[in-house]
Amino acid sequence: MKILIMAPLRGITDAVFRNAFKKHFNGVDEAVAPFVTSLKGRRIKASHLRDLAPECNRSLSVVPQILSNDADEFIRLANTLTDMGYREINWNLGCPYPMVAKKMRGSGLLPHADVIDRLLDKILNEFKGRLSIKTRLGRFCADEMDRLVPVFNRYPLVRLVVHPRTGVQMYTGAVDLDAFAVCLAQIAHPVVYNGDIWDRNAFFGLAARFPEVHQWMLGRGLVADPFLAETIQADSHPIDRRKERFAAFHDDLLAGYLDLFSGPGHALDRMKGLWGYFAGGLEDGARLLKRIRKARSLDRYRQLVDQAFLQP
């Protein structure tokens, strides 16, 4: 059984993207939403959780993710999300960006197993829902997992999502599959593999090496090729009408961002960011991406994209 999960990519896999994806593509079973940050001593406003509003997340099963290093703040936000109808909350212990990690959030907490232990003890005594964790092998080195795994094993986690890089690697360098194999053998919870699944061959190579893993998270590879999950689940059957389906997906994305943002400039910026992924799967994609990034108006952008979709 293959359970495929859309990864949380901040500024990319928001509700607009998730809903448009589910409408046009198959193969993804659920999504973990990009993190929301816990708030210190403030009432949680609806605007802070706009991307997780239940009415905007009915098409695809979604797990909210929280970025926090404070148990009380985490509990307050997590219980608010549980009251909104979410049963599982994911704790982000993997964000590699220095501005986050230096504040002991995300992967910045990984060198401090004792702090994570204290936080989990308090959170799981007062949180009303179920907790999963998304982590890396460590912030500075994979050896940090030697202290982390016993902590994770002491608590009733739903699952542990493991990206086999360190925080300081960001998204560069190779994933450390040997270190992943070591921690996989030691973790007492269901493990979700996350990292560098760019195509069908990469997935089945990993699935053959780690047959005990049944849940797989697709991130940048899925955004670059929205058909990726479908090709994995299709057992080599060809995918028909790729260009037409992608064009319809694109049009729904653009319409959604025009509705979401206050002006066309913000929608255009978001679409340009997505084309940084999309262009890699197209013939002459680098040239198209360069022209799209130079577009200064929505009309010019639409002209360029229409031309790309009309090409044989």
Side-chain angles (χ1 to χ4, degrees):
M1 180 178 64
K2 303 184 290 283
I3 296 174
L4 302 183
I5 304 163
M6 182 184 293
L9 299 180
R10 195 158 177 82
I12 300 290
T13 59
D14 58 13
V16 171
F17 185 95
R18 297 191 299 267
N19 289 332
F21 184 96
K22 181 63 175 177
K23 179 179 176 182
H24 295 283
F25 305 109
N26 301 312
V28 167
D29 299 285
E30 61 181 315
V32 175
F35 68 75
V36 287
T37 306
S38 66
L39 301 172
K40 190 178 295 292
R42 285 191 288 162
R43 182 172 62 86
I44 299 170
K45 297 180 180 180
S47 58
H48 188 62
L49 302 179
R50 179 176 61 177
D51 190 64
L52 294 166
E55 62 271 18
C56 299
N57 289 280
R58 293 191 175 122
S59 62
L60 182 64
S61 177
V62 173
V63 175
Q65 185 183 78
I66 294 176
L67 181 75
S68 181
N69 61 6
D70 183 285
D72 291 324
E73 294 174 15
F74 185 101
I75 292 162
R76 189 160 59 97
L77 180 54
N79 282 337
T80 298
L81 289 164
T82 302
D83 290 341
M84 291 166 61
Y86 292 104
R87 293 182 295 174
E88 177 187 343
I89 305 298
N90 184 266
W91 185 17
N92 182 321
L93 291 181
C95 182
Y97 291 102
M99 68 180 65
V100 171
K102 287 177 181 177
K103 296 178 181 178
M104 274 184 64
R105 292 183 171 190
S107 66
L109 271 169
L110 296 179
H112 308 284
D114 54 337
V115 175
I116 292 173
D117 195 357
R118 291 196 299 271
L119 290 168
L120 281 171
D121 183 64
K122 184 172 179 60
I123 287 168
L124 287 168
N125 274 312
E126 300 182 37
F127 170 45
K128 297 183 293 187
R130 302 186 300 171
L131 184 69
S132 60
I133 288 175
K134 188 173 188 293
T135 185
R136 289 185 171 228
L137 295 174
R139 184 182 181 193
F140 300 107
C141 65
D143 291 347
E144 291 170 33
M145 282 298 271
D146 293 342
R147 296 186 62 212
L148 291 165
V149 169
V151 172
F152 295 146
N153 285 349
R154 280 200 291 275
Y155 295 95
L157 304 175
V158 177
R159 50 189 167 176
L160 198 65
V161 183
V162 180
H163 182 123
R165 284 189 176 92
T166 60
V168 292
Q169 277 185 272
M170 298 286 285
Y171 296 96
T172 62
V175 289
D176 190 341
L177 297 182
D178 291 337
F180 176 79
V182 170
C183 70
L184 177 62
Q186 298 171 347
I187 293 170
H189 307 293
V191 172
V192 183
Y193 177 91
N194 169 224
D196 282 18
I197 301 177
W198 289 97
D199 55 38
R200 190 174 187 276
N201 289 339
F203 172 84
F204 281 102
L206 289 164
R209 180 166 179 178
F210 304 113
E212 59 271 62
V213 174
H214 302 292
Q215 300 181 58
W216 304 85
M217 183 169 278
L218 308 177
R220 294 172 296 158
L222 184 67
V223 179
D225 176 12
F227 294 95
L228 176 59
E230 200 166 325
T231 59
I232 289 170
Q233 301 281 27
D235 294 327
S236 79
H237 296 302
I239 307 298
D240 296 328
R241 300 176 51 251
R242 282 177 173 260
K243 185 170 286 190
E244 294 89 345
R245 289 173 61 191
F246 182 83
F249 167 63
H250 168 275
D251 290 348
D252 278 349
L253 277 179
L254 180 56
Y257 289 127
L258 287 171
D259 285 342
L260 178 65
F261 297 126
S262 57
H266 295 297
L268 180 58
D269 287 343
R270 178 60 61 90
M271 296 306 297
K272 286 180 178 180
L274 286 168
W275 273 101
Y277 294 92
F278 295 157
L282 296 178
E283 188 175 342
D284 203 21
R287 181 169 174 269
L288 175 62
L289 177 60
K290 186 175 182 180
R291 298 176 73 189
I292 283 174
R293 284 176 170 166
K294 289 182 177 179
R296 294 291 177 262
S297 70
L298 200 57
D299 286 343
R300 175 58 178 161
Y301 168 80
R302 283 176 163 144
Q303 181 185 39
L304 291 168
V305 173
D306 287 348
Q307 288 172 358
F309 290 148
L310 288 173
Q311 290 175 0

